[in-house]
Amino acid sequence: MTSTTSDPQRTGAGPIAPGQFAAAEARTAWRRGTGEVDDATLQRIEKFWRAANYLSVGQIYLLDNPLLRRPLSRDDVKPRLLGHWGTTPGLNFLYAHLNRAVAERQQSTIYVTGPGHGGPGLVASAYLDGTYSEVYSDITEDEEGLRRLFKQFSFPGGIPSHVAPETPGSIHEGGELGYALSHAYGAAFDNPHLLVAAVVGDGEAETGPLATSWHSNKFVNPAQDGMVLPILHLNGYKIANPTVLDRISDGELRDLMVGYGHTPHVFEAGFDDEDDLSIHRRFAVLLDEVLDEIAAIKERAAGGDLTRPMYPMIVFRTPKGWTGPAEIDGKKTTGSWRAHQVPLASARDTPEHLAVLEDWLQSYGPDELFDADGRVDDEIRALAPVGDLRMSANPHANGGLLLRDLRLPDFRDFAQDVPTPASTFAEAPRVLGEYLTEVIRRNPDNFRIFGPDETASNRLQAVYEVTAKQWNADFEGPEVDDHLERAGRVMEMLSEHQCQGWLEGYLLTGRHGLFTSYEAFIHIVDSMFNQHAKWLKVTNHIPWRRPVASLNYLLSSHVWRQDHNGFSHQDPGFIDHVVNKKAEVVRVYLPPDANTLLSTYDHCLRSRQYVNVVVSGKQPAPNFLSMDEAVAHCTRGLGIWEWAGSEAQDEEPDVVLACAGDVPTLEVLAAADILRRELPQLKVRVVNVVDLMRLQDAREHPHGLTDAEFDTIFTADRPIVFAYHGYPWLIHRLTYRRNGHANIHVRGYKEEGTTTTPFDMVMLNDLDRYHLVIDVIDHVHWARASQAGLRQRMVDARIRARQWTREHGEDIPEVRDWVWPDVGDTATEDGGPTQTRTAVADTGGDNE
Amino acid sequence: MTSTTSDPQRTGAGPIAPGQFAAAEARTAWRRGTGEVDDATLQRIEKFWRAANYLSVGQIYLLDNPLLRRPLSRDDVKPRLLGHWGTTPGLNFLYAHLNRAVAERQQSTIYVTGPGHGGPGLVASAYLDGTYSEVYSDITEDEEGLRRLFKQFSFPGGIPSHVAPETPGSIHEGGELGYALSHAYGAAFDNPHLLVAAVVGDGEAETGPLATSWHSNKFVNPAQDGMVLPILHLNGYKIANPTVLDRISDGELRDLMVGYGHTPHVFEAGFDDEDDLSIHRRFAVLLDEVLDEIAAIKERAAGGDLTRPMYPMIVFRTPKGWTGPAEIDGKKTTGSWRAHQVPLASARDTPEHLAVLEDWLQSYGPDELFDADGRVDDEIRALAPVGDLRMSANPHANGGLLLRDLRLPDFRDFAQDVPTPASTFAEAPRVLGEYLTEVIRRNPDNFRIFGPDETASNRLQAVYEVTAKQWNADFEGPEVDDHLERAGRVMEMLSEHQCQGWLEGYLLTGRHGLFTSYEAFIHIVDSMFNQHAKWLKVTNHIPWRRPVASLNYLLSSHVWRQDHNGFSHQDPGFIDHVVNKKAEVVRVYLPPDANTLLSTYDHCLRSRQYVNVVVSGKQPAPNFLSMDEAVAHCTRGLGIWEWAGSEAQDEEPDVVLACAGDVPTLEVLAAADILRRELPQLKVRVVNVVDLMRLQDAREHPHGLTDAEFDTIFTADRPIVFAYHGYPWLIHRLTYRRNGHANIHVRGYKEEGTTTTPFDMVMLNDLDRYHLVIDVIDHVHWARASQAGLRQRMVDARIRARQWTREHGEDIPEVRDWVWPDVGDTATEDGGPTQTRTAVADTGGDNE
């Protein structure tokens, strides 16, 4: 056969016409099988499996002598043996069989490897079908290429030991376990012609996220979405223990799967002397049966029956480390936890151990698998599908190839009218919801909103004008089923893990979306965020991986307004968590009002390869900036609000009042108002920060300011009282090398909170207007010396406000009704689409 | 009846003799029921339920007029209505019925409220059984007490709207959903006479952690542990959506529960006209049946049959907001998501709405529930058990009451011999494991180790000399079941959520334990840590809550040595996450070697009310300090290592080389070695930090140094090159107000890593010895001017080391074999219990 490396059509990295690909995919989707698998095909499957196993063992152990063309010597073996064998042969088995079925049915398929530790297996399969050499041209299809393939694995400067961004065909790292099914379903949504074969490790199956992700099938539309085939890889052992699902009765396991909404098909092999062809025949027949069942579901759906079927799944019970040495040093290895990692960890220490390794490698018959030059045997290659249909080359697994820009409306069309600052009020996410409604209207098949039962609570309910929550469990009727339909752009399940996992799968296969959640509970996915950020960071440096849409968070139930919920719902630390990751992939925005939120989100939806964290409260709050001002402000990322300050032209201010976040902005403006009235001789500069990364040094973050820019805005030597949305230290961290850093005094959340009124909450944390004024007095030398009276009045105002809330259960009127003084009482006269703050305050309509 | 407030025996806060309590608990445990429930009892149940519902609605709505002794006026209603009604009546129903059963059987029982949003219900029940007034003396049992009870709820200065630390009888906050069953099982372990009734919300049931926690039953020893009765509160709705488990077929739900290892008992009520007594009769009979089933399991276990039974559970299907208004403003409310929160959010706006509220409250017949003075009707009080048997007063739910100090061995007995610094090697956690073995031996029933399949991987396997991993799924035999037994002190399930949740439940009920996990994946429980830290912070200020043992983490598979795993397993950010919480509850330790780890852990196991994070690598590493030195060093928390530096007495150093963490300490010592040899004229001070909180200001953390102390150690003006285990910013954050902060140059993890050799890893992040020397040269003015040659040699050394790893796959010998020069080659001559580094390096025995 000809080398595939010269065929650009076959590479996942080459130019691709998404429309053409989709049309080809649709033409052959969901074909039935032929119903028979001949012995020749079974032999090809067997050979592919054998070759993949050989290449896997080779990667783990060999530094040289890749084809065993000479006796194995100690120096051929890597000095440090790092990798995981246990799950690998099972993954290879499944890949080989899927290859057969994909080729026969021409069914576009991707392979999600839950047990991502089995990295060598996926690399092996991608090498066998030719993809690997296409994307990595130095890993050639000959003996030297094999040597490089082996050496690079889990080796300094080489590739990771897990399935990783470096692995062609993967959208799933699998180092941190639990997300295989969520990723698989995310990939399947809106890909009606795609089959996602998702291998679930039985260790992984013990994690919480995986345990609930089986229920994803209640959120699938069988017509518009693709199909997920879960395969439970029940090999029985983890690092040092059996797995729970392997040690319950067959009946319980079957019931569990039925309870999850699946029809289980149980396959067991490798525990007796059954010959390989017989095993392969049984599995091929079973796989055909399952794929035909899926095809039947698709047919019924195409015929209009969208009710949730019982989806098939496979229980794949095989020995851990299957085909490896049965025993090592007299201890059972294959079929035990001892096969989890490197079963023969001492291959270099004695000739006997070296012989075990050599026998093991020879058991796969490498001479039958590769020709004299080391090229993969034609029969093996012939098993796999060709071109984009190879699971390692399927464009869905390199989503940037298929990514289409969103058709975005002009966000300016949704602007809030702001005749003068803080004269109108809005719930910013509600306004964003109107914009997103139009986004959904224009992008009916590649944009989704994910959230744990909180889309309306987070004020995006306008989107229900054009879409619904997708749901495919039972319905009860419109009286109680609120915007619930079998197809819709909003995905709600009460699991942050599911929302994040679905969205990741959706993005990595080339689509767009956002995740709206409570700020405190987004910590639930801290670890998933880590993995996604790492994925993006690594893919930025892999040329054949194309950029994907950013992962956008909207955290609108934030720390400062947890009226129904209190202390357990207060935590602004996700931002701190996020900024630990590489600057090249994270962005944090704190738009202070509705227009800045619109501008920010437009930017986020156009961006690529970032994680964008946007925090914007859902409670009624003043609009500060007109749309033109908002665009300018967001473009700068931060700026001086001259209208709010009291500095004269050509003069340095006495003090800078800085703010980041909506609630801090309100308090800073109220403090500035007090200072204008009470201390008119004080020159106050008000600075607002939208893009938090602007505070960092330009050398540390691409959005960072130079020191000169920073000094121009914040001054080099004046006191800066900084009211910040989150934990105060982050501001210090971002600015600690700035000239004025010793003058920065930050007020933020200090883990003091309980159920209170809004102002009581900011008072508890010393972020309130009165305290900010006190801070200013304390830090401006001449004011400190002369303003004891004003300071005392501020202390009294706090005490009065506190007493009021304790008695009345709501904020003191002077706070509740405060508006920016330039505009007097117009707030309550505004009868436009935006509710005034007072009108909304009493409704208690704040869900959850 | 007499007031219970005067009876100190009855209060959970009073003095308690744990032994006496345990004996009483054992005497009556697992009695069978009488088999009949008479109408009088049913009426008492009905009345208790009615009263609890009344008190719940009262808390949500009323500011005054608590007994409706005058017509309800607008001013009687709170201006801000905050709370959750939907789940509350169901919780009250279950509580009432359990009261009956607990009293009849004298069965020690605690109640875990998964749907913790139903806070008013638990407060109501605690008030009805008298506990509430006992622990909060101003909430008296009269009309004024009721007024205060109502007003305080979700009110500034009052109590949170959720079940919370303030709620008597609770060990579970329930604001963040998903941990009810994990907490329940944690409470049940080693409490053989305790029943834990665990209500699981059907919203909560969608979360990952809850979905896997059903499998906890495979880890229960039916003789030595208590019994958990899960009750799935299937009321069908979340904030805005139906729940998944309510919208699958009855058969699927039943199969799911069987698959989870339970015998489901389905109860349904509230959807038709069945009268209340009939409903109560049906449930009482069902509850008796279930409790008898549990008693039978206990009897079988007592008779020696420890095999896992199918444990009963109850599916409790009732309308959301049961007994509330059927419709409000023409929209179905009860039995829909609209009942989730405050169903009548507008009670103050119109007379009609006010009348709805008044009718609703009157529907419970308050005049029958309270006497003329507002005291709870005797019949209601008579339903509940008395004293410690009241679920709100059960001492297990205020674990500090039952807490016994651990019997700890002298950790010095496990000391590593350190004749001179860095002359012997150890895997520090392995040494700790020997100490823990003795801890387990001496504390066979109140100390457990929790971990996700990693106890041995994390090197604590010595404990298996005296205990095993507790497991009660199927066994296969010793060939493959490694230290797996039906009873054991080690709890391993591949779910960090389960480990954390179990441990929290175990600690909050008055026991001790630790959680060992991979550093990167401990982020999986970031959010659970948040909630536990908040719980501790709040309980510190609740006098009747007694201190519990600290939650101890051991993170020994840390960022710097993820040899098998690579980038996905590298994240040291948990420390950053932890230090965001209140200083009064968090501690972070980075012991540099085995002896300091022993000393640190002894301290942790004696401490109370903290979260202790201990990071200590599991790879062979040098021992630096003898035990006496280690104790002194750990007591100080940080200190100068004079033997490692090169400063002369009475002279300030030219530079401070500081380190925190084992790998950074090794690199700093190697750098100090180079500097002594290459630049003997340079006066280097070496400082090691064990207790990270020492770096903070004394005003911010109780462990913090004063500025004078800090300057004495770190100098006020000399350059400090600080090699730190984690993200470098944390060191800046902790020290940003110190005099010398502008001189601190931190090297730490910068999110650059992949699968490499150990030294390649530290080089990637510029934390290696050569780079530290370069840093020193760059920051010491005269060295910078004169040491271009040395600097160049360091650059070359790095290049050489990198090239070596790329070629050989292991570290360059000059690095691999480096030892502290004072001791030459004694490392390899040490034949004691500690393996030398070289001997261990090649085994690849690093699991997972």
Side-chain angles (χ1 to χ4, degrees), chain A residues 161 241 341 492 526 564 846, chain B residues 161 241 341 492 526 564 846:
Chain A
S161 75
N241 286 301
Q341 212 170 60
E492 295 208 328
D526 272 3
H564 284 266
D846 169 21
Chain B
S161 75
N241 285 301
Q341 212 170 62
E492 295 208 327
D526 273 3
H564 284 266
D846 170 21

Side-chain angles (χ1 to χ4, degrees), chain A residues 276-297:
Chain A
D276 278 3
L277 276 206
S278 164
I279 290 171
H280 289 301
R281 182 174 298 107
R282 283 199 296 119
F283 192 80
V285 168
L286 180 141
L287 185 59
D288 274 342
E289 190 183 326
V290 164
L291 294 178
D292 286 353
E293 232 178 272
I294 288 174
I297 289 169

Side-chain angles (χ1 to χ4, degrees), chain B residues 621-820:
Chain B
N623 298 312
F624 299 114
L625 302 184
S626 71
M627 186 48 89
D628 286 346
E629 291 164 341
V631 171
H633 188 55
C634 289
T635 306
R636 284 192 306 263
L638 87 187
I640 300 168
W641 283 5
E642 288 187 17
W643 55 269
S646 55
E647 52 181 325
Q649 291 257 328
D650 308 325
E651 272 188 288
E652 265 213 297
D654 295 311
V655 63
V656 177
L657 265 176
C659 47
D662 46 17
V663 166
T665 299
L666 177 64
E667 293 306 316
V668 155
L669 288 184
D673 173 27
I674 294 170
L675 288 168
R676 280 154 65 122
R677 279 187 282 115
E678 302 284 348
L679 206 51
Q681 66 274 40
L682 185 79
K683 295 185 288 296
V684 177
R685 172 177 294 175
V686 173
V687 174
N688 181 270
V689 180
V690 182
D691 175 353
L692 209 57
M693 298 298 98
R694 293 288 276 165
L695 294 178
Q696 263 192 301
D697 194 293
R699 285 158 293 189
E700 289 177 12
H701 195 286
H703 285 197
L705 295 178
T706 65
D707 279 342
E709 290 169 325
F710 188 91
D711 290 350
T712 307
I713 291 168
F714 288 99
T715 78
D717 55 4
R718 299 304 157 115
I720 303 164
V721 173
F722 200 126
Y724 171 55
H725 171 84
Y727 293 111
W729 306 286
L730 185 62
I731 299 302
H732 292 297
R733 165 176 164 178
L734 294 173
T735 60
Y736 79 99
R737 290 238 187 264
R738 300 298 189 181
N739 292 322
H741 70 105
N743 307 316
I744 300 181
H745 311 280
V746 188
R747 292 288 164 195
Y749 182 66
K750 28 178 227 177
E751 203 68 28
E752 291 290 356
T754 181
T755 305
T756 59
T757 69
F759 196 65
D760 213 35
M761 176 71 192
V762 294
M763 277 197 293
L764 256 181
N765 290 280
D766 299 335
L767 185 79
D768 58 285
R769 54 199 67 179
Y770 305 123
H771 208 285
L772 294 174
V773 172
I774 291 170
D775 280 339
V776 167
I777 293 171
D778 288 352
H779 293 296
V780 174
H781 189 256
W782 63 259
R784 191 170 177 177
S786 64
Q787 297 301 319
L790 176 58
R791 195 183 191 288
Q792 184 63 49
R793 274 186 285 137
M794 293 297 104
V795 172
D796 291 348
R798 301 187 88 218
I799 293 169
R800 197 170 56 243
R802 170 74 40 89
Q803 283 174 328
W804 180 277
T805 65
R806 292 290 185 277
E807 189 179 345
H808 299 275
E810 57 185 347
D811 286 337
I812 192 166
E814 70 190 62
V815 165
R816 189 193 60 199
D817 300 334
W818 177 87
V819 288
W820 183 247

Side-chain angles (χ1 to χ4, degrees), chain A residues 582-584 693-711 734-739, chain B residues 729 750:
Chain A
K582 293 301 272 190
E584 61 183 289
M693 297 298 99
R694 292 289 276 166
L695 294 178
Q696 263 192 299
D697 194 292
R699 284 159 293 188
E700 290 177 12
H701 195 286
H703 284 197
L705 295 178
T706 65
D707 279 342
E709 290 170 324
F710 188 90
D711 290 349
L734 295 173
T735 60
Y736 80 99
R737 290 237 186 265
R738 299 299 189 181
N739 293 321
Chain B
W729 306 286
K750 28 178 227 177

Side-chain angles (χ1 to χ4, degrees), chain A residues 35-84:
Chain A
E36 52 189 52
V37 197
D38 58 32
D39 280 2
T41 305
L42 292 174
Q43 266 148 3
R44 278 200 293 275
I45 292 173
E46 195 273 338
K47 220 164 170 181
F48 189 102
W49 185 39
R50 207 149 30 98
N53 288 340
Y54 179 80
L55 293 182
S56 301
V57 182
Q59 289 176 76
I60 295 174
Y61 286 94
L62 297 187
L63 204 51
D64 203 348
N65 194 9
L67 289 166
L68 298 184
R69 297 274 156 93
R70 51 179 167 77
L72 192 66
S73 83
R74 186 177 180 280
D75 290 343
D76 293 334
V77 179
K78 296 181 181 181
R80 287 165 58 79
L81 297 173
L82 303 171
H84 298 80

